[in-house]
Amino acid sequence: MRDIFKDAVKTYCRVENIVRKTRFTEHDDIVTISIKNSSDEGLDTSCFKVLNFIMSIIGREKTSFLQTPFLYPDSEKVDKVNITFNSKDYREMIKSAFGEDAY
């Protein structure tokens, strides 16, 4: 089945000219969205824009999730940010945000 949320994030990146590795994975009833950061200090603007876009949809739907930044070893540089959902909550968020046939 087609994942409308994934398509929306990928389309947003394309429209905003964001060359970014945003990866969606599903394993053991957990959906993870990984957003790669390329800044040496803090979050680069593109990473922040993608996170903001995702949060604007998740927040509106009041879906529970975990957001985890991953740092490089022995550094304060952010490598990536993961957003993790329970698969059921993820599907319900998509259906609520985009309609019953969205996932």
Side-chain angles (χ1 to χ4, degrees), residues 28-41:
D28 292 335
D29 293 326
I30 301 292
V31 174
T32 302
I33 305 169
S34 296
I35 302 128
K36 187 79 172 145
N37 180 45
S38 60
S39 176
D40 288 333
E41 294 182 20

Side-chain angles (χ1 to χ4, degrees), residues 25-94:
T25 57
E26 186 169 357
H27 185 66
D28 292 335
D29 293 326
I30 301 292
V31 174
T32 302
I33 305 169
S34 296
I35 302 128
K36 187 79 172 145
N37 180 45
S38 60
S39 176
D40 288 333
E41 294 182 20
L43 291 177
D44 64 73
T45 306
S46 296
C47 184
F48 182 77
K49 284 180 178 181
V50 173
L51 282 169
N52 189 50
F53 177 75
I54 290 170
M55 295 304 166
S56 69
I57 295 171
I58 295 170
R60 190 173 55 224
E61 299 306 318
K62 300 178 184 168
T63 303
S64 62
F65 66 95
L66 291 173
Q67 180 176 316
T68 310
F70 286 86
L71 304 175
Y72 284 104
D74 299 323
S75 152
E76 292 188 15
K77 182 180 184 234
V78 177
D79 175 36
K80 65 181 175 179
V81 177
N82 281 0
I83 301 171
T84 308
F85 305 86
N86 174 292
S87 292
K88 182 182 174 204
D89 292 341
Y90 179 75
R91 285 183 186 84
E92 288 178 12
M93 182 264 304
I94 292 172

